[in-house]
Amino acid sequence: MFKIGDRVAHPLHGAGTISEIERKKINNQFKDYYVMRIPKGDMRVMIPVDACDAVGLRPIIDSVRAEEILNQIPDLDVSQDANWNKRYRENMLRIRSGNLLEVASVIKSLVQRESVRGLSTGERKMLHSAKQILISEIVLCFDCSYSEAEERLYHSFS
């Protein structure tokens, strides 16, 4: 169970802070929800307390693990299927896994593909989402700005 002030990561929305625990009545039943604030864009996400495990909500990684992930990015082997649909499905599975190294591999493969062939609209949106997920966690791990975290990420590609 998380408490107010905990820094957590949602597999599809990125990292944020539990700002409150709200009780809502839905279908004549009361249910508790974590209200998570994501720094970029001041987004608010509500997660049912009893569904945290199913959703994949977890504490953010520490700065040592974040540094390890950033250092592993240059060595990530990224393969790209020629079939757009298959590539898209595989990348979505990687993002939904909640594994930041998998998210980093999606970012790396899409950045490489963009430099060679360009990206479809769907893949551009996927790249933006994957970057948001990884960068938001880096921001909270290192207590830095979004632009500093983005710079660290892109520095790891070179």
Side-chain angles (χ1 to χ4, degrees), residues 18-124:
I18 302 288
S19 62
E20 59 186 292
I21 300 172
E22 194 173 299
R23 181 166 277 230
K24 288 193 166 269
K25 185 177 182 180
I26 299 173
N27 295 333
N28 289 328
Q29 290 185 335
F30 286 98
K31 210 172 202 181
D32 290 332
Y33 290 84
Y34 291 122
V35 179
M36 181 176 126
R37 295 256 183 219
I38 297 177
K40 177 79 173 167
D42 197 34
M43 187 164 77
R44 182 177 177 225
V45 179
M46 295 183 72
I47 305 113
V49 170
D50 60 358
C52 285
D53 290 337
V55 168
L57 195 68
R58 61 171 174 75
I60 65 166
I61 59 174
D62 62 20
S63 59
V64 172
R65 180 66 184 134
E67 197 67 54
E68 288 172 358
I69 289 170
L70 290 172
N71 290 335
Q72 290 175 343
I73 290 174
D75 299 327
L76 285 176
D77 183 32
V78 292
S79 59
Q80 298 183 11
D81 196 287
N83 181 304
W84 183 90
N85 283 331
K86 186 174 181 190
R87 190 172 61 243
Y88 188 86
R89 279 193 309 271
E90 288 172 354
N91 284 339
M92 279 307 295
L93 285 174
R94 286 186 181 110
I95 290 171
R96 286 186 178 140
S97 74
N99 180 330
L100 289 179
L101 209 47
E102 291 292 322
V103 174
S105 74
V106 170
I107 295 168
K108 184 174 181 179
S109 71
L110 291 174
V111 166
Q112 286 177 352
R113 185 165 189 83
E114 183 177 39
S115 68
V116 174
R117 300 181 122 189
L119 296 176
S120 67
T121 302
E123 286 180 313
R124 249 190 320 278

